[in-house]
Short mmCIF file of all heavy atoms in Angstrom, two decimals:
data_model
loop_
_atom_site.label_atom_id
_atom_site.label_comp_id
_atom_site.label_asym_id
_atom_site.label_seq_id
_atom_site.Cartn_x
_atom_site.Cartn_y
_atom_site.Cartn_z
N ALA A 144 86.09 115.40 55.56
CA ALA A 144 86.66 113.97 55.60
C ALA A 144 86.16 113.33 56.83
O ALA A 144 85.60 112.12 56.73
CB ALA A 144 88.12 113.90 55.57
N TYR A 145 86.15 113.88 58.07
CA TYR A 145 85.83 113.27 59.33
C TYR A 145 84.21 112.92 59.17
O TYR A 145 83.80 111.95 59.76
CB TYR A 145 86.21 113.98 60.51
CG TYR A 145 87.76 114.27 60.59
CD1 TYR A 145 88.11 115.43 61.20
CD2 TYR A 145 88.59 113.34 60.15
CE1 TYR A 145 89.53 115.68 61.32
CE2 TYR A 145 89.97 113.63 60.20
CZ TYR A 145 90.45 114.71 60.87
OH TYR A 145 91.82 114.96 60.95
N ARG A 146 83.55 113.91 58.61
CA ARG A 146 82.12 113.65 58.50
C ARG A 146 81.82 112.53 57.53
O ARG A 146 81.03 111.67 57.77
CB ARG A 146 81.35 114.92 58.08
CG ARG A 146 81.43 116.12 59.09
CD ARG A 146 80.20 117.04 58.91
NE ARG A 146 80.48 118.15 59.71
CZ ARG A 146 80.45 118.17 61.07
NH1 ARG A 146 80.09 117.04 61.69
NH2 ARG A 146 80.69 119.27 61.81
N ALA A 147 82.40 112.60 56.36
CA ALA A 147 82.23 111.60 55.36
C ALA A 147 82.53 110.22 55.82
O ALA A 147 81.97 109.19 55.50
CB ALA A 147 83.06 111.90 54.07
N LEU A 148 83.60 110.07 56.73
CA LEU A 148 84.05 108.76 57.20
C LEU A 148 83.06 108.27 58.35
O LEU A 148 83.21 107.24 58.78
CB LEU A 148 85.49 108.98 57.83
CG LEU A 148 86.57 109.06 56.89
CD1 LEU A 148 87.86 109.60 57.53
CD2 LEU A 148 87.00 107.68 56.35
N GLY A 149 82.23 109.13 58.72
CA GLY A 149 81.31 108.85 59.81
C GLY A 149 81.88 108.91 61.21
O GLY A 149 81.37 108.42 62.20
N TYR A 150 83.08 109.72 61.29
CA TYR A 150 83.70 109.78 62.57
C TYR A 150 82.96 110.90 63.34
O TYR A 150 82.58 110.74 64.56
CB TYR A 150 85.09 110.31 62.42
CG TYR A 150 86.06 109.29 61.88
CD1 TYR A 150 87.43 109.60 61.74
CD2 TYR A 150 85.72 107.97 61.59
CE1 TYR A 150 88.41 108.68 61.31
CE2 TYR A 150 86.54 106.97 61.23
CZ TYR A 150 87.95 107.41 60.97
OH TYR A 150 88.87 106.54 60.50
N TRP A 151 82.67 112.10 62.70
CA TRP A 151 81.94 113.08 63.23
C TRP A 151 80.50 112.99 62.80
O TRP A 151 80.23 113.20 61.63
CB TRP A 151 82.45 114.49 62.89
CG TRP A 151 83.84 114.78 63.52
CD1 TRP A 151 84.76 113.91 64.04
CD2 TRP A 151 84.54 116.02 63.34
NE1 TRP A 151 85.89 114.50 64.44
CE2 TRP A 151 85.76 115.88 64.00
CE3 TRP A 151 84.21 117.29 62.91
CZ2 TRP A 151 86.71 116.88 64.08
CZ3 TRP A 151 85.10 118.31 62.99
CH2 TRP A 151 86.37 118.11 63.56
N THR A 152 79.57 112.73 63.74
CA THR A 152 78.21 112.36 63.34
C THR A 152 77.22 113.42 63.50
O THR A 152 76.06 113.19 63.16
CB THR A 152 77.77 111.05 64.18
OG1 THR A 152 77.77 111.47 65.54
CG2 THR A 152 78.67 109.87 64.06
N GLY A 153 77.59 114.48 64.16
CA GLY A 153 76.58 115.50 64.46
C GLY A 153 75.70 115.21 65.70
O GLY A 153 74.79 115.92 66.02
N GLU A 154 76.10 114.10 66.36
CA GLU A 154 75.44 113.77 67.60
C GLU A 154 76.03 114.50 68.77
O GLU A 154 77.26 114.58 68.75
CB GLU A 154 75.48 112.22 67.92
CG GLU A 154 74.52 111.78 68.99
CD GLU A 154 74.72 110.25 69.26
OE1 GLU A 154 75.78 109.78 68.93
OE2 GLU A 154 73.75 109.68 69.67
N THR A 155 75.19 115.07 69.72
CA THR A 155 75.76 115.72 70.98
C THR A 155 75.63 114.63 72.03
O THR A 155 75.07 113.62 72.01
CB THR A 155 75.02 116.90 71.29
OG1 THR A 155 73.61 116.46 71.64
CG2 THR A 155 74.91 117.95 70.18
N PHE A 156 76.41 115.00 73.19
CA PHE A 156 76.22 114.07 74.41
C PHE A 156 74.84 114.10 74.77
O PHE A 156 74.35 113.06 75.41
CB PHE A 156 77.32 114.53 75.43
CG PHE A 156 78.55 114.05 75.07
CD1 PHE A 156 79.51 114.91 74.42
CD2 PHE A 156 78.95 112.70 75.29
CE1 PHE A 156 80.82 114.44 74.16
CE2 PHE A 156 80.22 112.19 74.90
CZ PHE A 156 81.16 113.11 74.36
N GLY A 157 74.04 115.19 74.72
CA GLY A 157 72.62 115.20 75.12
C GLY A 157 71.92 114.19 74.25
O GLY A 157 71.16 113.38 74.79
N ASP A 158 72.17 114.30 72.92
CA ASP A 158 71.46 113.38 72.01
C ASP A 158 71.81 111.86 72.40
O ASP A 158 70.88 111.03 72.26
CB ASP A 158 72.03 113.50 70.61
CG ASP A 158 71.65 114.88 69.92
OD1 ASP A 158 70.72 115.55 70.47
OD2 ASP A 158 72.38 115.28 69.03
N MET A 159 73.03 111.61 72.81
CA MET A 159 73.42 110.30 73.13
C MET A 159 72.56 109.75 74.31
O MET A 159 72.11 108.62 74.30
CB MET A 159 74.87 110.19 73.47
CG MET A 159 75.45 108.87 74.10
SD MET A 159 77.23 109.01 74.54
CE MET A 159 77.02 108.93 76.34
N LEU A 160 72.44 110.58 75.31
CA LEU A 160 71.68 110.20 76.51
C LEU A 160 70.22 109.98 76.14
O LEU A 160 69.52 109.01 76.53
CB LEU A 160 71.82 111.11 77.61
CG LEU A 160 71.11 110.72 78.92
CD1 LEU A 160 71.46 109.44 79.43
CD2 LEU A 160 71.34 111.83 80.06
N THR A 161 69.67 110.88 75.31
CA THR A 161 68.23 110.81 74.89
C THR A 161 68.07 109.45 74.22
O THR A 161 67.16 108.64 74.47
CB THR A 161 67.93 111.93 73.96
OG1 THR A 161 68.22 113.16 74.55
CG2 THR A 161 66.34 112.02 73.59
N ALA A 162 68.93 109.18 73.34
CA ALA A 162 68.82 107.87 72.54
C ALA A 162 68.85 106.69 73.48
O ALA A 162 68.11 105.75 73.30
CB ALA A 162 69.95 107.83 71.46
N ARG A 163 69.80 106.68 74.39
CA ARG A 163 69.93 105.50 75.36
C ARG A 163 68.59 105.40 76.18
O ARG A 163 68.13 104.21 76.46
CB ARG A 163 71.09 105.67 76.25
CG ARG A 163 72.41 105.43 75.48
CD ARG A 163 72.65 104.00 75.14
NE ARG A 163 73.71 103.88 74.08
CZ ARG A 163 73.51 103.87 72.80
NH1 ARG A 163 72.34 103.99 72.20
NH2 ARG A 163 74.54 103.79 71.99
N ALA A 164 68.16 106.57 76.67
CA ALA A 164 67.09 106.45 77.62
C ALA A 164 65.78 106.00 76.83
O ALA A 164 64.88 105.54 77.42
CB ALA A 164 66.82 107.94 78.22
N THR A 165 65.76 106.30 75.50
CA THR A 165 64.60 105.81 74.80
C THR A 165 64.73 104.36 74.42
O THR A 165 63.73 103.62 74.56
CB THR A 165 64.64 106.70 73.36
OG1 THR A 165 64.64 107.98 73.76
CG2 THR A 165 63.39 106.34 72.68
N ALA A 166 65.95 103.98 74.14
CA ALA A 166 66.13 102.50 73.77
C ALA A 166 66.12 101.60 74.91
O ALA A 166 65.51 100.55 74.75
CB ALA A 166 67.55 102.36 73.06
N THR A 167 66.65 101.93 76.03
CA THR A 167 66.84 100.96 77.16
C THR A 167 66.56 101.82 78.38
O THR A 167 67.36 101.91 79.27
CB THR A 167 68.23 100.29 77.24
OG1 THR A 167 69.10 101.31 77.32
CG2 THR A 167 68.40 99.36 76.08
N PRO A 168 65.30 102.26 78.56
CA PRO A 168 65.00 103.16 79.73
C PRO A 168 65.18 102.47 81.13
O PRO A 168 65.56 103.16 82.11
CB PRO A 168 63.49 103.53 79.49
CG PRO A 168 62.95 102.49 78.59
CD PRO A 168 64.11 102.08 77.68
N ASP A 169 64.98 101.20 81.16
CA ASP A 169 64.98 100.50 82.41
C ASP A 169 66.45 99.91 82.76
O ASP A 169 66.59 99.32 83.84
CB ASP A 169 63.98 99.39 82.52
CG ASP A 169 62.61 100.00 82.24
OD1 ASP A 169 62.40 101.13 82.74
OD2 ASP A 169 61.74 99.34 81.62
N ALA A 170 67.37 100.09 81.84
CA ALA A 170 68.67 99.40 82.07
C ALA A 170 69.38 100.41 83.21
O ALA A 170 69.04 101.66 83.15
CB ALA A 170 69.60 99.47 80.82
N ILE A 171 70.27 99.82 83.95
CA ILE A 171 70.92 100.68 84.94
C ILE A 171 72.00 101.47 84.39
O ILE A 171 72.99 100.93 83.78
CB ILE A 171 71.41 99.81 86.18
CG1 ILE A 171 70.30 99.04 86.82
CG2 ILE A 171 72.20 100.57 87.14
CD1 ILE A 171 69.26 99.95 87.53
N ALA A 172 71.93 102.77 84.53
CA ALA A 172 72.95 103.71 83.91
C ALA A 172 74.06 103.91 84.86
O ALA A 172 75.29 103.94 84.56
CB ALA A 172 72.29 104.91 83.48
N VAL A 173 73.74 104.26 86.17
CA VAL A 173 74.60 104.81 87.12
C VAL A 173 74.39 104.13 88.50
O VAL A 173 73.24 104.08 88.89
CB VAL A 173 74.59 106.35 87.36
CG1 VAL A 173 75.64 106.83 88.23
CG2 VAL A 173 74.68 107.02 85.98
N VAL A 174 75.48 103.76 89.12
CA VAL A 174 75.31 103.23 90.60
C VAL A 174 76.59 103.73 91.41
O VAL A 174 77.66 103.94 90.86
CB VAL A 174 75.44 101.66 90.69
CG1 VAL A 174 74.09 101.04 90.37
CG2 VAL A 174 76.53 101.00 89.94
N ASP A 175 76.21 104.09 92.61
CA ASP A 175 77.22 104.38 93.63
C ASP A 175 76.78 103.89 95.00
O ASP A 175 75.73 103.08 95.04
CB ASP A 175 77.71 105.82 93.63
CG ASP A 175 76.67 106.86 94.14
OD1 ASP A 175 75.64 106.40 94.63
OD2 ASP A 175 76.98 107.96 94.26
N ASP A 176 77.43 104.17 96.04
CA ASP A 176 77.00 103.73 97.32
C ASP A 176 75.52 104.14 97.74
O ASP A 176 74.96 103.37 98.43
CB ASP A 176 77.97 104.20 98.38
CG ASP A 176 79.29 103.50 98.31
OD1 ASP A 176 79.28 102.41 97.77
OD2 ASP A 176 80.32 104.08 98.79
N ARG A 177 75.11 105.19 97.11
CA ARG A 177 73.76 105.70 97.60
C ARG A 177 72.72 105.69 96.59
O ARG A 177 71.54 105.87 96.82
CB ARG A 177 73.87 107.16 98.14
CG ARG A 177 74.78 107.26 99.42
CD ARG A 177 75.12 108.70 99.62
NE ARG A 177 75.98 109.26 98.53
CZ ARG A 177 75.47 110.26 97.77
NH1 ARG A 177 74.35 110.96 98.04
NH2 ARG A 177 76.24 110.63 96.73
N ASN A 178 73.14 105.51 95.27
CA ASN A 178 72.20 105.76 94.14
C ASN A 178 72.24 104.65 93.21
O ASN A 178 73.33 104.00 93.07
CB ASN A 178 72.49 107.05 93.39
CG ASN A 178 72.41 108.32 94.30
OD1 ASN A 178 71.35 108.63 94.76
ND2 ASN A 178 73.51 108.75 94.75
N ARG A 179 71.22 104.40 92.52
CA ARG A 179 71.14 103.42 91.48
C ARG A 179 70.06 103.98 90.51
O ARG A 179 68.81 103.93 90.83
CB ARG A 179 70.64 102.11 92.09
CG ARG A 179 70.59 100.98 91.09
CD ARG A 179 70.08 99.70 92.00
NE ARG A 179 69.58 98.70 91.19
CZ ARG A 179 70.37 97.69 90.58
NH1 ARG A 179 71.70 97.71 90.88
NH2 ARG A 179 69.87 96.85 89.73
N TRP A 180 70.46 104.48 89.36
CA TRP A 180 69.50 105.25 88.48
C TRP A 180 69.55 104.43 87.06
O TRP A 180 70.47 103.98 86.57
CB TRP A 180 70.01 106.55 88.14
CG TRP A 180 70.10 107.46 89.33
CD1 TRP A 180 69.39 107.36 90.51
CD2 TRP A 180 70.96 108.56 89.53
NE1 TRP A 180 69.74 108.39 91.37
CE2 TRP A 180 70.64 109.19 90.72
CE3 TRP A 180 71.93 109.18 88.66
CZ2 TRP A 180 71.44 110.31 91.27
CZ3 TRP A 180 72.59 110.29 89.12
CH2 TRP A 180 72.34 110.85 90.44
N THR A 181 68.26 104.25 86.63
CA THR A 181 68.04 103.77 85.27
C THR A 181 68.47 104.77 84.32
O THR A 181 68.53 106.00 84.63
CB THR A 181 66.59 103.30 84.96
OG1 THR A 181 65.85 104.47 85.05
CG2 THR A 181 66.27 102.19 85.98
N TYR A 182 68.54 104.47 82.96
CA TYR A 182 68.72 105.46 81.90
C TYR A 182 67.57 106.41 81.96
O TYR A 182 67.75 107.68 81.81
CB TYR A 182 68.87 104.80 80.56
CG TYR A 182 70.29 104.38 80.26
CD1 TYR A 182 70.78 103.06 80.63
CD2 TYR A 182 71.22 105.25 79.74
CE1 TYR A 182 72.06 102.78 80.47
CE2 TYR A 182 72.60 104.90 79.58
CZ TYR A 182 72.96 103.66 79.89
OH TYR A 182 74.27 103.25 79.65
N ALA A 183 66.30 106.01 82.16
CA ALA A 183 65.18 106.98 82.17
C ALA A 183 65.41 107.92 83.34
O ALA A 183 65.16 109.07 83.12
CB ALA A 183 63.88 106.13 82.28
N GLU A 184 65.75 107.31 84.40
CA GLU A 184 65.96 108.25 85.56
C GLU A 184 67.15 109.25 85.46
O GLU A 184 66.97 110.46 85.77
CB GLU A 184 66.17 107.39 86.90
CG GLU A 184 64.95 106.71 87.40
CD GLU A 184 65.13 105.58 88.37
OE1 GLU A 184 66.25 105.16 88.44
OE2 GLU A 184 64.07 105.30 89.09
N LEU A 185 68.19 108.83 84.91
CA LEU A 185 69.31 109.70 84.75
C LEU A 185 68.90 110.81 83.82
O LEU A 185 69.14 111.95 84.00
CB LEU A 185 70.59 108.95 84.18
CG LEU A 185 71.69 109.77 83.69
CD1 LEU A 185 72.25 110.54 84.81
CD2 LEU A 185 72.73 108.93 83.05
N ASP A 186 68.22 110.43 82.63
CA ASP A 186 67.72 111.32 81.62
C ASP A 186 66.81 112.44 82.28
O ASP A 186 66.97 113.63 82.07
CB ASP A 186 67.10 110.67 80.55
CG ASP A 186 66.82 111.60 79.34
OD1 ASP A 186 67.86 112.28 78.94
OD2 ASP A 186 65.72 111.68 78.95
N GLU A 187 65.89 111.97 83.14
CA GLU A 187 64.91 112.84 83.71
C GLU A 187 65.55 113.84 84.66
O GLU A 187 65.36 114.94 84.70
CB GLU A 187 63.90 111.97 84.54
CG GLU A 187 62.49 112.63 84.61
CD GLU A 187 62.42 113.22 86.00
OE1 GLU A 187 62.91 112.70 87.02
OE2 GLU A 187 61.87 114.29 86.04
N ARG A 188 66.59 113.19 85.42
CA ARG A 188 67.34 114.17 86.35
C ARG A 188 68.14 115.16 85.68
O ARG A 188 68.26 116.28 86.03
CB ARG A 188 68.28 113.22 87.25
CG ARG A 188 67.49 112.21 88.09
CD ARG A 188 68.46 111.37 88.98
NE ARG A 188 69.02 112.14 90.04
CZ ARG A 188 68.62 111.97 91.30
NH1 ARG A 188 67.60 111.15 91.64
NH2 ARG A 188 69.15 112.82 92.31
N ALA A 189 68.78 114.79 84.56
CA ALA A 189 69.67 115.68 83.79
C ALA A 189 68.85 116.79 83.11
O ALA A 189 69.17 117.93 83.12
CB ALA A 189 70.45 114.88 82.71
N ARG A 190 67.62 116.37 82.63
CA ARG A 190 66.80 117.45 81.98
C ARG A 190 66.21 118.44 83.08
O ARG A 190 66.11 119.58 82.85
CB ARG A 190 65.58 116.78 81.30
CG ARG A 190 66.00 116.05 80.06
CD ARG A 190 64.86 115.21 79.43
NE ARG A 190 65.26 114.57 78.23
CZ ARG A 190 65.38 115.17 77.07
NH1 ARG A 190 64.87 116.40 76.88
NH2 ARG A 190 65.86 114.46 76.06
N SER A 191 65.88 117.92 84.20
CA SER A 191 65.30 118.82 85.25
C SER A 191 66.42 119.82 85.77
O SER A 191 66.20 120.85 86.00
CB SER A 191 64.54 118.14 86.24
OG SER A 191 65.36 117.64 87.32
N LEU A 192 67.63 119.23 85.89
CA LEU A 192 68.82 120.10 86.30
C LEU A 192 69.16 121.17 85.19
O LEU A 192 69.39 122.26 85.44
CB LEU A 192 70.05 119.24 86.52
CG LEU A 192 70.14 118.55 87.83
CD1 LEU A 192 71.47 117.79 88.00
CD2 LEU A 192 69.96 119.52 89.00
N ALA A 193 68.97 120.76 83.86
CA ALA A 193 69.23 121.64 82.72
C ALA A 193 68.34 122.73 82.91
O ALA A 193 68.66 124.00 82.83
CB ALA A 193 69.09 120.80 81.45
N SER A 194 67.02 122.46 83.23
CA SER A 194 66.00 123.54 83.38
C SER A 194 66.39 124.43 84.46
O SER A 194 66.21 125.68 84.42
CB SER A 194 64.60 122.95 83.61
OG SER A 194 64.29 122.07 82.47
N GLY A 195 66.79 123.78 85.63
CA GLY A 195 67.16 124.55 86.77
C GLY A 195 68.38 125.47 86.47
O GLY A 195 68.46 126.64 86.85
N PHE A 196 69.36 124.93 85.74
CA PHE A 196 70.53 125.72 85.50
C PHE A 196 70.16 126.96 84.55
O PHE A 196 70.57 128.07 84.82
CB PHE A 196 71.62 124.92 84.69
CG PHE A 196 72.27 123.78 85.37
CD1 PHE A 196 72.59 122.63 84.83
CD2 PHE A 196 72.68 123.94 86.72
CE1 PHE A 196 73.28 121.54 85.56
CE2 PHE A 196 73.35 123.00 87.48
CZ PHE A 196 73.60 121.74 86.93
#
Side-chain angles (χ1 to χ4, degrees):
Y145 300 148
R146 292 203 190 292
L148 285 160
Y150 289 180
W151 293 9
T152 59
E154 191 183 26
T155 65
F156 282 98
D158 296 337
M159 173 182 109
L160 180 58
T161 305
R163 289 290 166 265
T165 310
T167 56
D169 300 325
I171 299 299
V173 184
V174 283
D175 71 1
D176 286 337
R177 294 166 301 118
N178 302 284
R179 183 181 162 85
W180 301 333
T181 63
Y182 274 90
E184 286 165 339
L185 173 63
D186 189 53
E187 204 266 322
R188 297 177 76 96
R190 284 173 185 275
S191 83
L192 280 181
S194 301
F196 292 143

